[in-house]
Amino acid sequence: DAGVTQSPTHLIKTRGQHVTLRCSPISGHKSVSWYQQVLGQGPQFIFQYYEKEERGRGNFPDRFSARQFPNYSSELNVNALLLGDSALYLCASSLIAGAYNEQFFGPGTRLTVL
Amino acid sequence: QKEVEQNSGPLSVPEGAIASLNCTYSDRVSQSFFWYRQYSGKSPELIMSIYSNGDKEDGRFTAQLNKASQYVSLLIRDSQPSDSATYLCAVNRSNYQLIWGAGTKLIIKP
């Protein structure tokens, strides 16, 4: 069975640009969570989506937005990129929403902002 | 005080020995606890979840939870060089949010 997939693998952008990251969850999983991980730190929670609705939001600015599609795939959008947005962006899928459920991560998208 | 604290390490353990990784958390109402393994340059990989006080075993791994002491640990028996990685502890803050420690770097010496 395919695991969580993310695209692209790597991305280089310049300050002020916009970026869209994509994620497809494990088949049968209906919830997707997005995390940002900076080198040397644990993942920071950005969003959780379930059944196309936002169920949780972390402490990130409004430049960060996301959506989930009817097939449960998801996009994370970041506007007006800053140098500090450079990080590994991780998507995790789980059967249903909630922080009580096991989450399985995709390979991540490494974003570099120059 | 950080919400989830882990010793950054590195923790060096001889091959074949038991590696003990520790995590403390600050929110007394937390109900779900997870251990993940992350190899350098890769994404986190789920090792185990634990929700009740006591021990939970899965192969060479044992998770231990003590809610009264707000402490969760992971034991790795018969440590192998392939166990060398950063181990992340995650705890739920709310219904939807996981809070993560910064991880402990484990080195298994052959």
Side-chain angles (χ1 to χ4, degrees), chain A residues 37 48 99-100 102-103 106, chain B residues 32 36 38 43 49 51 95-96:
Chain A
Q37 187 177 25
Q48 186 176 93
Y100 308 101
E102 294 179 342
Q103 298 183 13
Chain B
S32 56
Y36 285 79
Q38 186 171 29
S43 61
S49 58
Y51 305 96
N95 286 339
Y96 299 102

